[in-house]
Amino acid sequence: MAAQNRALLLVGVIAAFILIALALFFLGGGSESGEVGTQAETPPTPQTTPQPTAGETVTEAITTTTETPETRTTVTTPEEKEIKREPVILRVLTRHPGEIQRATVEAFLQSEVAKKYNIVDIKFYSVPPVAWISAIKSRGDFDVAWGGGPTLFDQLYLEGLLAPLTSEEALDAASQIPDKFAGVAMKRVGDDGKIYWVAASIASFGFTVNHKVLKEYNLPIPKRWADLASPLYGKPLVEENRPIVAIADPTKSTSNTRMYEIILQAYGWEEGWKVLTGMAANSLIEQGSADVRDDVIVGKVAVGITIDFYGYTAMRANPDTEYIIPEGETVVNGDPIALLVTSKNPDAAQAFIAWVLTEGQKIWFREDVNRLPANPNAFNLPEGRERQDLKAVWESLRNAKTLDFDDNLALQVEVAMQLYFNATLVQLDNLLKEVWKALVSKYLSGEISDDEFKAYLSRLGEPLEYVDPVTGEKVKFTMEDAKRVTEVLRENPRLRDAYIAAWRKAAVEKYESLLAELGG
Amino acid sequence: MSRNSLARIEVFETSVKALPLVFFTTLLILPLASLLYAPFTVTLERGVDVLEGLSSYPFINRRPLGEFIVYSTGEPPKLILSFKDYGVIPNTIIAALIVTALATIIGTAVALILARYTFPGRDAMRIASMIPLLYTPFVNAFVAYKLFGQGGILAEVTGEVLGVSISMQGLAGMIMAQVFMFWPIVYINAFASMIQIDPSVEEQAENLGARGWTLYKTVTIPLALPGIASGAALVFIFSMEDLAAPLAFDVDNVVSIWIVREILAATDISQVSTETLILALMLAVSASAWFIAVRRYISLRQYATAEKGGWKGRRLRRPSPLLLVIIYLLILPWIIVSASHQIGVLVYAFSEDWSGLLPRGFTLSNFSEVLSDERVVRSFRNSFLYASTASLIIALIAVTSAYAVERIGGRLSTVIDVLATIPLAMPGLAVALGILALFGFTVAKGTPLDPFTNPGLYLVLAYAVRKSPFTTRAAFAGLKHVHKSLEEAAMSLGARRPKVVKDITLPLIAINVAGGLLISFVYSVTEVSTSITLGGLNEDQSPVTYIVYDYLTGGYGGGMFIHLAAAIVAMLMALQVAAITFVNLALKQRYAFIGV
């Protein structure tokens, strides 16, 4: 009896696991295995060779890249004389939301290009940015990366994970995208002169404001980035412990990273950090850019720094909100698409990239997407002609007085800038606010003058002197130093924590001494 | 017994132990190790420097920052309940202690009243007490601000009525939201314990003259302690691990949020920071220590009863007028207020606009719009399938781990005990990224088990790991209440262990397990961390929480996106209610009410 029961139990357990596994494989019908199945059952085109599946992936593929022509294992079925391309499934790593993914799959699969290259499906993988590099390196079968902002793509570029565009049609499509738009590079050109990523859409950066909340606190509409560091916006913080501005942590938001880079270039390194410090002190620091947008929509804050299409979403969600482009300080951003070195089908992948840069630009015109195309010719598409509103925004951005942004420089200091910001302004958020509240309340009550306030802000925001964890020497976080640290961390990422700890320690000392001085 | 049957017993006991051990090692320990290995080595390199960093701002603040209560003059004046910031580590402990204390007092009081008194509206209150358990992922943050934030409904109403506008922010808001969310956990555990108390014990006490509060204080509550204590222990861990309430009130300085932030701040998952490692270990150690301490304490006492079932309202009485007033003026409003998040989600889901004080435009179009999105429908099917499958696995794991620890004992049982507990305290994001790093990038790559192909499989397993402790705790509590003598009697009559388990033990703890499974199911359906990390790998297999997240971040539907997300979450609530009702009906024959 006991033996029987035991056996039954065991069989039951195994059966349950098998059932689960089976249930999952057939679930949704869209799984990998499902597709191979459908393909085999309904053969519109005769196929004799098995389709490449995920099973055939090889890690060494990272090195075998561009030269290999498309895997056309010349299927010579008797009835076919021509070269028949194998069906291809493209694997695209993306940060774009599901709506854009679906619209793309729908439109692309009907296109001539898809037919020509026999691309039967596009698989989108929404992987958190923190896992992109690991995913690309160890999977070895992603073809294209699309969406996520230039800072993310530059990281991939520096890791050697992006392959240059080589096919004629991709290069032709890329040539339709201006090299620069409003002073910002729309392509990443490597030292070898080849193109590693191209912008597929354009975004501007600015403020989304909630007029109702601004009015409630009698606050002016911000016009420049530096306005957000003004003690005026610190008043609700002092009185009600309520931050009235929202920003996002640069280690989690590529769009906010770009805005901080803009500020550091618009005002210069030293001044820029003072602006960033005052702004962070005034702000609710969120974990993502969408949270910033939502804070403005619900009226938790009066101002949020956002990318333009978030501003447009906000305006539709709450008519009290408005997207504002900072005067003379706006920078646009090209949101890239790129070929990955791990692509097994570089020809087909480049054909897809070419399509996104040309015909596929119509995706941006959809009402629920609302983005600016990178290709000016897109406005000649039927869908584009109907979006004169976007055209107007596009024109105004192109003609706007914009900043001459050096994205090479931004890239050189990027990692250090993000981590320094995180260590001194995000992690020590409450301590910084304590100093700021003491300072602003003295200013608002007239205890200290305008000049004295500026002197304090200057001390508070001035880049820190810290003890370098590697050399043990005391150094100042200048732009040169940021370049050096970025380089050091690229060589040895394991030092990251040590630098964060060093910066945090120096910041704690400064904040505490200022707090003591202000009698807070 | 013959040598043969001894060997059989050994095989049985070994497999009972092996199952949870293998399960948790593969799906919890290895993934976490693969994620935390790098920070571990960095910690070794950096040595004491790491501790130095953790002993200062922002982890332990030398002086607390901010104020408990902020008062601002104005028209009307504002009273803002905030909290001092003592640093990431003390904040977490202080908040967890406060939440546990309040949830325990409230949960026990409500359980006592509902388990011992009968009055009009009692059944409605018992059902309503379950509402705060319904998870409302993501949208609850909007609701929390709308209800309790500055410029929210509470502030407006108190400003009008009292002349002082009251609002909640920071840790104070988080503590309040957690008490709302978690008191029912103590309540259902205490309730279940109270109705399982051998009625003869209370009757004896009454015969000796104990009445009212004396009876409860000296007999009922002490006898219900296993339930109350395990409920309280759950709440303590929950409070430390929770992300929903701190996110809703913009609290950054608590351990759970800090871990998630640190993980996401890394440039790559191979470079997660040392602080993540240490804080995660801290959560794991404190969770297991707390649980084991609670159980040791309970084990010192004898709670089991030789009588099971048969409770049919035998000990219900009518409350005194004073108690009735307390019930209607204190308990009832409390139950309603603690369900305010769920109510708020419904308001968003059924309205066209809620930017002002009151919602405008009742509508069903939010529902019809999201239902016309095939992804939403599919994701519901997926989530339901994942959670039910996970529940099956959980039933197996929970019963085996509880039995191994409670009845078999011996070496490894403490290990199983710890393993079965720590999923509660482990940040889901760490588990999810660990699974991705371990299976997605290496072991299963290119096979049908690849999470990039079949993320659903891993969602099932992750749910099973992360949500199993609810059922395991319930099974423990059940075993605690079943006197060993019942099993021993069967054994002395010649029944072998597997047969005893099948015929005696399992039927006796079935209700506990079913109640635990209900909670596991509900929390699986609403699981967030793993779902949003793995759910985007193959949209066909996305769970519903991923779709809600996608709606919110993508801003679909333009201005209506919050309302659309709320509509999905409202349907998610309906699914949870359906599950609760189903279990309730299924157990009706045995038990008037589902308790854990």
Side-chain angles (χ1 to χ4, degrees):
Chain A
M1 273 304 278
Q4 255 177 22
N5 280 331
R6 223 167 45 227
L8 270 177
L9 190 74
L10 202 67
V11 170
V13 171
I14 294 167
F17 271 96
I18 292 172
L19 270 177
I20 293 157
L22 283 178
L24 282 162
F25 292 152
F26 294 107
L27 182 103
S31 67
E32 211 74 11
S33 45
E35 252 137 43
V36 176
T38 356
Q39 201 65 46
E41 282 153 27
T42 54
T45 47
Q47 286 151 22
T48 45
T49 45
Q51 192 173 325
T53 63
E56 296 171 12
T57 55
V58 243
T59 346
E60 308 89 74
I62 291 177
T63 47
T64 63
T65 53
T66 52
E67 259 111 311
T68 47
E70 197 218 339
T71 47
R72 72 188 95 161
T73 15
T74 51
V75 187
T76 45
T77 40
E79 64 269 21
E80 276 183 348
K81 295 272 170 351
E82 290 178 45
I83 293 168
K84 174 73 192 160
R85 290 172 199 270
E86 275 183 43
V88 172
I89 297 177
L90 286 180
R91 292 166 209 283
V92 181
L93 207 51
T94 191
R95 292 299 297 154
H96 282 312
E99 202 93 326
I100 292 179
Q101 298 174 18
R102 277 187 304 158
T104 304
V105 172
E106 213 171 277
F108 178 72
L109 293 184
Q110 289 169 6
S111 71
E112 287 304 313
V113 192
K115 293 192 181 94
K116 182 177 164 200
Y117 285 87
N118 200 10
I119 301 171
V120 294
D121 199 4
I122 301 175
K123 286 252 151 220
F124 280 105
Y125 296 88
S126 301
V127 176
V130 64
W132 271 42
I133 291 173
S134 286
I136 298 168
K137 278 187 181 166
S138 51
R139 298 281 312 172
D141 60 357
F142 289 118
D143 297 295
V144 173
W146 183 25
T151 54
L152 183 59
F153 278 69
D154 281 337
Q155 277 171 14
L156 302 184
Y157 169 70
L158 291 171
E159 285 283 330
L161 297 175
L162 300 187
L165 297 181
T166 49
S167 83
E168 204 173 302
E169 53 196 326
L171 288 171
D172 176 58
S175 71
Q176 295 183 37
I177 313 289
D179 288 346
K180 283 199 161 198
F181 183 88
V184 173
M186 292 288 117
K187 292 161 196 170
R188 167 64 61 192
V189 180
D191 297 333
D192 52 8
K194 291 178 176 164
I195 299 174
Y196 284 83
W197 61 248
V198 187
S201 65
I202 290 171
S204 71
F205 295 105
F207 319 126
T208 302
V209 300
N210 185 318
H211 287 292
K212 200 172 147 206
V213 183
L214 280 175
K215 213 165 141 196
E216 189 186 332
Y217 287 91
N218 270 323
L219 296 171
I221 296 168
K223 295 199 163 48
R224 307 179 60 217
W225 295 104
D227 290 349
L228 298 181
S230 146
L232 280 182
Y233 292 98
K235 201 172 163 221
L237 187 69
V238 169
E239 289 174 353
E240 299 175 9
N241 199 31
R242 176 180 184 178
I244 212 69
V245 182
I247 63 177
D249 182 347
T251 59
K252 274 144 236 138
S253 163
T254 52
S255 61
N256 278 258
T257 296
R258 186 41 60 100
M259 285 185 257
Y260 305 143
E261 289 170 348
I262 293 168
I263 291 171
L264 288 171
Q265 291 197 14
Y267 295 88
W269 185 260
E270 290 252 334
E271 272 307 301
W273 276 109
K274 290 168 194 168
V275 172
L276 290 180
T277 306
M279 188 168 100
N282 272 333
S283 293
L284 174 63
I285 304 179
E286 288 286 11
Q287 298 302 302
S289 46
D291 298 330
V292 173
R293 169 200 69 191
D294 295 344
D295 288 341
V296 182
I297 292 176
V298 302
K300 192 184 272 185
V301 298
V303 187
I305 62 174
T306 66
I307 202 160
D308 55 6
F309 52 86
Y310 275 175
Y312 304 140
T313 305
M315 286 162 80
R316 282 186 295 163
N318 182 349
D320 290 328
T321 61
E322 187 188 352
Y323 173 72
I324 291 169
I325 294 175
E327 287 168 9
E329 290 174 355
T330 191
V331 161
V332 298
N333 206 5
D335 199 5
I337 186 164
L339 176 67
L340 292 168
V341 293
T342 51
S343 176
K344 294 283 195 300
N345 301 295
D347 283 358
Q350 293 192 68
F352 172 68
I353 293 173
W355 179 84
V356 168
L357 296 176
T358 52
E359 194 191 331
Q361 294 278 296
K362 64 185 177 192
I363 303 288
W364 309 129
F365 296 128
R366 292 169 61 109
E367 278 293 335
D368 47 13
V369 173
N370 258 328
R371 302 198 186 185
L372 296 172
N375 188 339
N377 301 329
F379 288 109
N380 300 328
L381 294 168
E383 293 87 352
R385 276 189 231 117
E386 280 170 28
R387 293 306 300 265
Q388 289 305 312
D389 54 332
L390 286 182
K391 175 109 200 250
V393 177
W394 197 88
E395 288 291 343
S396 77
L397 273 179
R398 194 175 57 171
N399 303 325
K401 182 167 167 283
T402 53
L403 187 72
D404 196 12
F405 186 74
D406 181 347
D407 71 334
N408 270 314
L409 176 63
L411 187 57
Q412 283 169 359
V413 296
E414 190 160 281
V415 173
M417 184 281 281
Q418 286 175 317
L419 296 180
Y420 179 88
F421 191 112
N422 179 273
T424 63
L425 304 179
V426 181
Q427 296 198 6
L428 295 172
D429 185 23
N430 281 351
L431 186 58
L432 171 66
K433 284 192 166 50
E434 203 78 351
V435 182
W436 186 246
K437 282 190 273 187
L439 182 57
V440 171
S441 67
K442 277 198 170 15
Y443 172 79
L444 293 175
S445 68
E447 233 176 288
I448 55 173
S449 69
D450 215 34
D451 287 343
E452 281 171 306
F453 176 83
K454 280 187 182 137
Y456 272 115
L457 174 57
S458 186
R459 282 170 60 197
L460 184 65
E462 189 186 357
L464 287 163
E465 281 189 21
Y466 67 98
V467 180
D468 186 282
V470 179
T471 61
E473 279 169 29
K474 199 156 183 150
V475 284
K476 189 175 173 180
F477 189 64
T478 57
M479 194 162 77
E480 287 311 309
D481 189 56
K483 282 183 192 167
R484 178 187 68 86
V485 177
T486 302
E487 200 50 48
V488 168
L489 290 178
R490 189 162 293 142
E491 298 279 308
N492 186 359
R494 296 163 71 84
L495 288 168
R496 178 182 173 279
D497 288 3
Y499 273 98
I500 288 181
W503 289 327
R504 197 168 58 204
K505 192 172 175 210
V508 166
E509 278 164 19
K510 177 157 84 175
Y511 296 159
E512 278 194 312
S513 80
L514 275 169
L515 200 53
E517 220 174 292
L518 289 160
Chain B
M1 272 186 275
S2 69
R3 181 179 293 180
N4 191 21
S5 65
L6 270 177
R8 277 179 190 167
I9 289 173
E10 211 153 84
V11 171
F12 174 76
E13 293 188 350
T14 313
S15 42
V16 164
K17 280 185 179 176
L19 198 61
L21 278 176
V22 171
F23 179 74
F24 286 116
T25 310
T26 325
L27 290 159
L28 183 74
I29 303 303
L30 290 180
L32 284 176
S34 70
L35 185 69
L36 297 177
Y37 176 73
F40 177 71
T41 56
V42 175
T43 310
L44 291 186
E45 276 169 29
R46 289 187 57 211
V48 274
D49 280 2
V50 177
L51 293 179
E52 195 201 336
L54 283 167
S55 64
S56 175
Y57 292 104
F59 298 102
I60 298 172
N61 293 353
R62 265 167 282 202
R63 47 169 267 188
L65 306 171
E67 300 299 330
F68 283 109
I69 295 172
V70 181
Y71 186 80
S72 89
T73 52
E75 214 24 73
K78 291 180 178 171
L79 186 73
I80 301 137
L81 303 178
S82 190
F83 208 86
K84 287 203 182 215
D85 173 14
Y86 293 90
V88 172
I89 296 166
N91 288 346
T92 308
I93 298 167
I94 294 169
L97 286 173
I98 298 175
V99 170
T100 308
L102 292 176
T104 306
I105 294 168
I106 296 166
T108 309
V110 175
L112 199 54
I113 286 166
L114 293 180
R116 289 293 179 264
Y117 294 96
T118 175
F119 49 88
R122 171 172 174 268
D123 289 337
M125 275 168 72
R126 283 199 319 204
I127 293 164
S129 305
M130 305 290 284
I131 295 176
L133 285 179
L134 305 178
Y135 252 48
T136 51
F138 305 110
V139 184
N140 61 344
F142 292 93
V143 175
Y145 183 74
K146 191 85 218 168
L147 295 177
F148 302 107
Q150 272 143 310
I153 288 174
L154 177 71
E156 290 275 346
V157 171
T158 50
E160 283 293 318
V161 177
L162 306 174
V164 183
S165 146
I166 300 173
S167 58
M168 313 281 298
Q169 61 168 216
L171 272 175
M174 179 190 101
I175 289 170
M176 176 197 68
Q178 290 188 340
V179 175
F180 285 175
M181 284 157 67
F182 299 145
W183 74 267
I185 291 168
V186 179
Y187 154 73
I188 45 180
N189 278 286
F191 186 91
S193 281
M194 283 172 189
I195 60 174
Q196 285 184 12
I197 292 171
D198 189 339
S200 65
V201 180
E202 286 192 359
E203 279 157 12
Q204 285 163 24
E206 281 172 337
N207 287 341
L208 293 169
R211 289 282 181 278
W213 177 237
T214 316
L215 174 70
Y216 300 142
K217 197 176 69 176
T218 55
V219 179
T220 315
I221 291 176
L223 283 177
L225 260 184
I228 297 172
S230 63
L234 269 182
V235 171
F236 188 81
I237 310 297
F238 269 32
S239 165
M240 291 206 295
E241 186 258 0
D242 178 44
L243 293 171
L247 283 177
F249 284 93
D250 298 311
V251 174
D252 290 333
N253 290 344
V254 289
V255 170
S256 55
I257 293 283
W258 203 272
I259 293 174
V260 170
R261 261 169 53 158
E262 285 290 302
I263 292 176
L264 293 178
T267 329
D268 186 69
I269 45 176
S270 60
Q271 298 297 338
V272 170
S273 79
T274 52
E275 280 146 12
T276 318
L277 169 77
I278 291 170
L279 294 175
L281 282 178
M282 209 179 294
L283 271 190
V285 169
S286 62
S288 352
W290 182 257
F291 260 128
I292 289 169
V294 165
R295 201 159 37 251
R296 290 271 148 82
Y297 165 73
I298 294 171
S299 301
L300 293 176
R301 293 145 183 262
Q302 180 65 267
Y303 292 98
T305 159
E307 191 205 36
K308 261 311 250 200
W311 181 84
K312 269 279 181 273
R314 257 187 287 163
R315 298 208 50 84
L316 283 179
R317 64 185 72 211
R318 300 203 166 278
S320 67
L322 174 67
L323 188 57
L324 207 56
V325 170
I326 292 179
I327 289 171
Y328 289 127
L329 289 186
L330 225 58
I331 310 276
L332 182 64
W334 167 259
I335 291 174
I336 294 169
V337 167
S338 59
S340 54
H341 281 72
Q342 287 74 14
I343 298 169
V345 170
L346 294 180
V347 174
Y348 264 119
F350 285 102
S351 65
E352 279 169 5
D353 171 62
W354 198 14
S355 51
L357 185 59
L358 292 174
R360 282 194 303 108
F362 176 85
T363 180
L364 292 174
S365 64
N366 297 325
F367 288 92
S368 57
E369 186 158 351
V370 292
L371 282 174
S372 69
D373 181 348
E374 55 169 19
R375 294 181 314 150
V376 173
V377 181
R378 191 171 51 211
S379 73
F380 267 100
R381 209 181 60 206
N382 290 344
S383 280
F384 186 79
L385 181 64
Y386 298 158
S388 346
T389 320
S391 298
L392 290 180
I393 302 175
I394 289 172
L396 196 65
I397 296 299
V399 171
T400 48
S401 2
Y403 193 82
V405 175
E406 197 58 41
R407 289 294 194 262
I408 301 177
R411 277 175 305 157
L412 289 181
S413 74
T414 316
V415 178
I416 296 176
D417 201 1
V418 172
L419 282 179
T421 305
I422 49 173
L424 275 185
M426 274 300 105
L429 186 71
V431 178
L433 285 172
I435 285 176
L436 207 53
L438 183 65
F439 299 104
F441 298 156
T442 52
V443 184
K445 195 176 84 179
T447 72
L449 296 178
D450 189 337
F452 280 82
T453 311
N454 280 314
L457 177 65
Y458 287 88
L459 288 173
V460 168
L461 295 171
Y463 293 168
V465 171
R466 295 201 61 216
K467 307 304 177 187
S468 66
F470 301 102
T471 311
T472 313
R473 316 267 33 111
F476 269 132
L479 285 173
K480 270 274 171 308
H481 275 285
V482 175
H483 205 291
K484 261 190 188 157
S485 62
L486 292 174
E487 292 162 80
E488 282 159 5
M491 281 198 226
S492 73
L493 290 172
R496 296 195 179 104
R497 199 149 207 166
K499 186 169 172 57
V500 174
V501 170
K502 182 175 140 280
D503 289 348
I504 310 285
T505 320
L506 281 182
L508 285 176
I509 64 168
I511 289 175
N512 298 74
V513 174
L517 279 177
L518 168 70
I519 306 281
S520 292
F521 176 87
V522 164
Y523 285 165
S524 297
V525 164
T526 52
E527 201 272 354
V528 168
S529 306
T530 321
S531 305
I532 65 171
T533 311
L534 302 181
L537 299 183
N538 180 350
E539 216 185 42
D540 292 334
Q541 297 186 8
S542 298
V544 65
T545 39
Y546 177 81
I547 299 295
V548 177
Y549 174 75
D550 194 40
Y551 260 76
L552 280 177
T553 47
Y556 302 161
M560 294 304 288
F561 73 103
I562 300 171
H563 297 265
L564 296 179
I568 305 178
V569 172
M571 292 191 290
L572 193 55
M573 281 163 61
L575 177 63
Q576 298 173 61
V577 171
I580 291 173
T581 315
F582 173 74
V583 174
N584 204 347
L585 289 177
L587 295 181
K588 206 169 189 176
Q589 303 304 315
R590 309 284 309 273
Y591 215 70
F593 176 72
I594 62 116
V596 173

